[in-house]
Amino acid sequence: MKLEAVSSTKSFDGWQKQFRHYSETLQCDMRFAVYLPPQIEKGTRFPVLYWLSGLTCTDENFMQKACAQRMAAELGIVLVAPDTSPRGEDVPDDPGYDLGQGAGFYVNATQEPWKQHYRMYDYVLKELPELVEQYFPVNDRRALAGHSMGGHGALVIGLKNMERYTSISAFSPICNPIACPWGEKAFAAYLGADKSLWEEYDATVLLSRARERIPMLVSQGDADEFLEEQLKPHALQSAAEASGYPLKVEHHAGYDHSYYFIASFIEQHLRFHADFLLRG
C-alpha cells in the first residue's frame, strides 16, 4: 500500500500529518490523519489510539477541535483518525446526512448499492492498522475511542475483537442502534431487513453477550439533544449491570453533543487509555 502525504504541521513539538491512499477494502481513495508525538524522534515505537468520528465528520474534525495533541505529546501516544466513510464520485451516496458518504456507521454493508464500498468495519479493524504499522514507528498496542456514530464504531469493533485492543472509550456513543432512528435507517440500508444481522453491530447486544472483559469508559453529556431518542446510554448501562460487565459511564451535567464536550474531557480519556497502552 502506498501513502501520499497531504499535509504536515508541527504541534506540541510533535507532528500533525495527513495522508491519502487507495483502499482495497473500500475500493476508493481514503484519507486519514496521524499525530506523532515528539518522542518519535528517539527511535522507539509507540502505541496507537484510533479515533472514530461521528456523522458528517471527516478525519479532520477530531484533530482540529479536540485539543488532544498536547496530552498525546506528554504521554507518548500516536493518534490516528480515519475518515468516517468511503468517498468519491463513484461511491454511492444519499441526500440525507445520516446515510451514505459521511455516515458509514463502521459496518460491512451487505446490500446494494452499498456493499462494494461501505466496509468501514474491515477498514478500521484490518487495513488501516496494517498501513499504520507498516509506515510509522508504532508497536502492536492499540486502543479505540470515538464520538457519536464513531463511539458506536469503537464500542462494536472493540467488543468483537478484544484481543486486538487494550481499552475502549466513547463520547456520546449510539449505544443501541437497532432501537434508534439513526441506526434503524442505516442498518436497513446497509444490512437489509434481517434484524438478527443488525445485532452484530449493536454495542448493547454485544456487551450483554460478552464473555471476556476489556476496560471501557463512556462519557455522556446530560444536555445532549440526541440523548434519549438516538444515543440510549441507559440501555448499555442496563446490559452491563445485568451481565456484570465493569463498564464505567460518566454523566456530565450541562454538556451537549459538540466538540466542546470532547475537548473538556479528552485528557481524562487519553489518561484512561495510557494506563493500559503504556503498560510494560
Side-chain angles (χ1 to χ4, degrees):
M1 292 182 282
K2 184 179 179 181
L3 281 186
E4 175 189 350
V6 177
S7 66
S8 180
T9 305
K10 195 167 187 178
S11 177
F12 294 99
D13 289 327
W15 291 95
Q16 180 65 51
K17 297 176 178 286
Q18 192 177 51
F19 296 90
R20 183 184 295 113
H21 74 104
Y22 181 79
S23 168
E24 294 290 346
T25 302
L26 305 176
Q27 296 292 293
C28 66
D29 286 334
M30 286 294 287
R31 203 175 62 188
F32 67 93
V34 178
Y35 178 71
L36 302 173
Q39 298 91 329
I40 288 290
E41 297 181 1
K42 296 180 180 179
T44 54
R45 294 184 174 270
F46 293 87
V48 184
L49 175 65
Y50 290 88
W51 174 272
L52 308 182
S53 291
L55 286 167
T56 75
C57 292
T58 69
D59 60 297
E60 295 182 335
N61 297 72
F62 172 73
M63 294 299 193
Q64 293 179 359
K65 296 180 178 181
C67 305
Q69 290 88 346
R70 178 184 64 82
M71 187 51 51
E74 177 182 322
L75 295 170
I77 293 174
V78 172
L79 304 176
V80 174
D83 202 347
T84 53
S85 71
R87 298 182 194 266
E89 293 183 1
D90 297 329
V91 176
D93 199 6
D94 184 88
Y97 74 95
D98 52 356
L99 187 68
Q101 296 186 32
F105 268 85
Y106 303 100
V107 303
N108 286 339
T110 61
Q111 305 299 302
E112 297 288 359
W114 314 102
K115 66 180 184 180
Q116 178 182 354
H117 298 283
Y118 283 75
R119 302 185 62 81
M120 287 298 296
Y121 178 92
D122 277 354
Y123 178 74
V124 170
L125 178 66
K126 300 175 183 178
E127 186 176 17
L128 181 61
E130 289 174 2
L131 195 61
V132 169
E133 290 165 19
Q134 177 182 352
Y135 281 96
F136 302 98
V138 302
N139 57 38
D140 61 358
R141 298 186 69 78
R142 316 173 193 93
L144 275 171
H147 171 233
S148 193
M149 178 187 72
H152 140 76
L155 294 175
V156 166
I157 294 172
L159 284 167
K160 289 170 70 73
N161 302 276
M162 293 187 189
E163 73 285 355
R164 287 183 60 84
Y165 303 101
T166 63
S167 47
I168 313 167
S169 76
F171 288 86
S172 315
I174 304 172
C175 296
N176 195 195
I178 65 174
C180 79
W182 280 341
E184 290 169 354
K185 178 179 179 178
F187 285 6
Y190 295 144
L191 304 174
D194 185 353
K195 293 189 176 182
S196 66
L197 300 179
W198 299 12
E199 294 180 352
E200 293 300 312
Y201 297 101
D202 186 291
T204 295
V205 174
L206 294 172
L207 188 144
S208 70
R209 297 172 178 173
R211 295 293 177 264
E212 299 178 50
R213 301 290 185 261
I214 185 172
M216 188 183 303
L217 169 65
V218 171
S219 294
Q220 176 63 59
D222 285 348
D224 192 316
E225 62 268 40
F226 305 114
L227 178 60
E228 298 301 331
E229 183 181 31
Q230 302 284 12
L231 306 181
K232 301 183 181 294
H234 299 298
L236 189 71
Q237 286 181 272
S238 296
E241 292 168 2
S243 64
Y245 196 104
L247 169 69
K248 183 177 184 180
V249 180
E250 295 188 347
H251 294 270
H252 298 279
Y255 285 92
D256 61 14
H257 200 70
S258 71
Y259 265 87
Y260 293 111
F261 173 44
I262 297 169
S264 297
F265 296 97
I266 192 63
E267 178 176 341
Q268 177 197 12
H269 279 242
L270 287 176
R271 290 192 183 279
F272 165 78
H273 288 294
D275 285 344
F276 307 102
L277 284 171
L278 301 177
R279 287 180 179 177

